[in-house]
Amino acid sequence: MTESASPASAIVEVLRRRQSTQAEIMEATGLSRVTIHGQLGALEEAGVVCQAPRTVETGGRPARTYKLDPSYGRVLVADIGTSVVRTGVASIDGSLLASSSAQIPAFENPDEALRELFDAFARMRAMDSTPIRAISVGIPVPVNPHTGRPQVSARHSQWRSQELPEKLAGFCDGPFLVAHDVDLMALAEQRTVRPDTSVLMLIKVGMGIGCSVIYRGEPIVGETGGAFEIGHMQGTHVHSRGAGRVRCPRGHDDCLESVAGGRAIASSLMWEGISATSSTEIMNLAVAGNTLVRDELYATGRKVGEAAAPLINMLNPGVIVVGGNLTAYSDLVSQGFRESALLGTAQVVRDAVQIVPAKLGTQGGLIGASLVALDSVLSSDSLATAIAGNGGSDDGARGSRSARDDSSDDDAEDSDAASLENDATVR
């Protein structure tokens, strides 16, 4: 339990990870049995928590197990990438219940991307009557952490003018959360796959190129949201084969994206008379054995590794995750990245880092969006509001809960706690 967490949020945080008995919650949080008993009663009255069918044998009566109540609510999530719009709906425990995707040039045409998002959200909200508690959306541009609005140049005023919270208000009362898509991918990899890694870097390679760094569970976004925009770092890079430099979506012809990533590969293919306008089409050619595409994917990995090397040396990450649509069915990008990313880095940095493929694949952005949404829905303040809105204080809920409980639950929890204490003594 963190210093700012309430007892209720500390208990819910345990239940987000797994179903637990009172004794297991006590061991995980350090809260007293009386406090846990009362808070569980309040949360159960508010509809946030319910009893799970699973019981734990402790040598006495089976101990009751608690979980987050699926009927409390769901969250709508979206991952709007450069060329793909993914949408989903997640349960209160974070599991994705449904998802969909559509190939749309979202960076250049946010209006079309948002139409797809609204249509998908409408379908998912209509699945049943479970309330929608929050909406979380990843977008393909940086987001200013102070305003929550897209942080883009005048050239892309179509994204700057998007009022996402206002447009999403018809789906629920909020909260509405907007983040850079690559930050959500990185957050999901760190929290669900590598929770013990304090510094994790994620490199996303698709039609565009992105980077995010998670430090102690939170993305480093910078003052205005533009941290680690390596795809648009300007400098001298090797030209793509034949086609020369292609302008990136921001109009640069001397940045990393002008010579690496999906757009640069598509430009090289066009020069050779091959049409491929999306990351899916590029990867299909690679899987089919197209030598030019495979060479370009490997070269993209090397160029991205060279650009990321100074950041790696400065940040000393424990893990670098390589993901994105151009890594979905082939490790060519990852191979190229590994060969160049650590050149010239300090020995202490090389010894500490692992370079690994993304585990969550195309669902990473949606999973990250659900984590952010549920962090808000299940925060200390939100839980306090839910408990208060149920018509009573924690003490009142505790009293009603205690009146309902029979003595077998108390006996079971006492036995469960004693069993844990005995186990600890044996160890």
Side-chain angles (χ1 to χ4, degrees):
M1 177 173 125
T2 63
E3 190 172 330
S4 60
S6 67
S9 67
I11 291 169
V12 166
E13 187 62 29
V14 173
L15 297 181
R16 287 180 70 177
R17 296 193 294 269
R18 62 183 182 279
Q19 299 178 10
S20 301
T21 65
Q22 290 192 30
E24 289 168 340
I25 295 170
M26 181 169 63
E27 184 179 41
T29 63
L31 295 170
S32 72
R33 181 179 177 278
V34 171
T35 297
I36 292 169
H37 188 73
Q39 292 295 319
L40 281 173
L43 290 166
E44 195 170 358
E45 291 281 353
V48 180
V49 165
C50 65
Q51 293 181 27
R54 179 178 76 93
T55 57
V56 175
E57 298 292 339
T58 62
R61 295 184 180 90
R64 291 178 178 175
T65 303
Y66 293 86
K67 67 175 184 177
L68 298 178
D69 192 336
S71 67
Y72 181 68
R74 296 175 175 177
V75 294
L76 294 174
V77 294
D79 175 17
I80 303 176
T82 304
S83 60
V84 181
V85 176
R86 296 185 175 91
T87 51
V89 58
S91 175
I92 199 69
D93 65 1
S95 57
L96 282 174
L97 303 174
S99 63
S100 65
S101 65
Q103 294 278 341
I104 293 172
F107 194 98
E108 293 85 357
N109 195 344
D111 290 331
E112 184 181 355
L114 292 178
R115 281 194 295 272
E116 168 62 26
L117 180 146
F118 297 145
D119 289 345
F121 277 1
R123 294 193 302 270
M124 292 171 183
R125 183 180 60 176
M127 288 171 57
D128 63 22
S129 59
T130 304
I132 302 299
R133 295 289 181 181
I135 295 175
S136 178
V137 178
I139 61 176
V141 296
V143 175
N144 189 310
H146 304 294
T147 65
R149 295 173 59 85
Q151 186 73 24
V152 293
S153 65
R155 179 182 175 88
H156 294 286
S157 58
Q158 68 268 36
W159 267 110
R160 179 185 288 179
S161 63
Q162 297 298 330
E163 300 285 350
L164 287 177
E166 290 81 352
K167 292 181 177 180
L168 294 168
F171 291 99
C172 74
D173 295 330
F176 308 100
L177 305 148
V178 182
H180 199 176
D181 60 342
V182 69
D183 289 334
L184 295 178
M185 288 178 60
L187 186 69
E189 290 283 341
Q190 192 275 328
R191 286 178 56 175
T192 67
V193 180
R194 298 183 177 272
D196 296 328
T197 301
S198 60
V199 182
L200 179 143
M201 174 185 287
L202 182 135
I203 302 293
K204 177 186 177 184
V205 184
M207 295 306 285
I209 298 168
C211 175
S212 177
V213 174
I214 305 297
Y215 177 65
R216 294 186 177 177
E218 296 294 335
I220 301 174
V221 299
E223 181 64 25
T224 56
F228 310 115
E229 281 281 275
I230 65 169
H232 302 287
M233 290 169 56
Q234 293 170 274
T236 302
H237 298 284
V238 178
H239 287 214
S240 294
R241 182 193 310 217
R245 296 177 185 272
V246 57
R247 286 188 179 272
C248 79
R250 300 186 186 183
H252 305 145
D253 64 358
D254 60 348
C255 67
L256 182 60
E257 279 194 17
S258 69
V259 295
R263 289 189 184 88
I265 293 174
S267 177
S268 292
L269 293 175
M270 187 183 303
W271 189 262
E272 300 290 335
I274 302 171
S275 175
T277 59
S278 69
S279 54
T280 299
E281 292 175 350
I282 292 171
M283 291 309 296
N284 286 341
L285 289 170
V287 172
N290 185 291
T291 303
L292 173 58
V293 174
R294 295 177 68 84
D295 288 348
E296 289 287 343
L297 288 171
Y298 175 79
T300 278
R302 285 194 63 90
K303 293 168 188 174
V304 175
E306 291 166 4
L311 294 177
I312 296 169
N313 213 28
M314 287 188 288
L315 293 167
N316 188 22
V319 173
I320 301 171
V321 178
V322 182
N325 291 336
L326 291 188
T327 69
Y329 308 113
S330 168
D331 64 352
L332 288 166
V333 171
S334 297
Q335 286 179 20
F337 183 88
R338 285 192 189 95
E339 290 191 11
S340 63
L342 301 183
L343 294 177
T345 56
Q347 185 69 44
V348 66
V349 174
R350 293 198 301 274
D351 290 346
V353 71
Q354 299 178 60
I355 300 176
V356 300
K359 290 288 188 183
L360 302 179
T362 58
Q363 302 283 25
L366 295 179
I367 294 171
S370 71
L371 290 171
V372 169
L374 293 172
D375 285 348
S376 180
V377 171
L378 301 174
S379 68
S380 294
D381 290 344
S382 296
L383 291 173
T385 300
I387 291 170
N390 192 54
S393 66
D394 290 1
D395 289 340
R398 180 183 304 141
S400 63
R401 161 79 173 150
S402 297
R404 295 200 314 270
D405 284 345
D406 57 30
S407 60
S408 65
D409 186 39
D410 290 341
D411 292 344
E413 291 298 331
D414 284 339
S415 176
D416 200 6
S419 177
L420 285 171
E421 291 173 2
N422 290 337
D423 287 346
T425 302
V426 170
R427 289 195 295 268

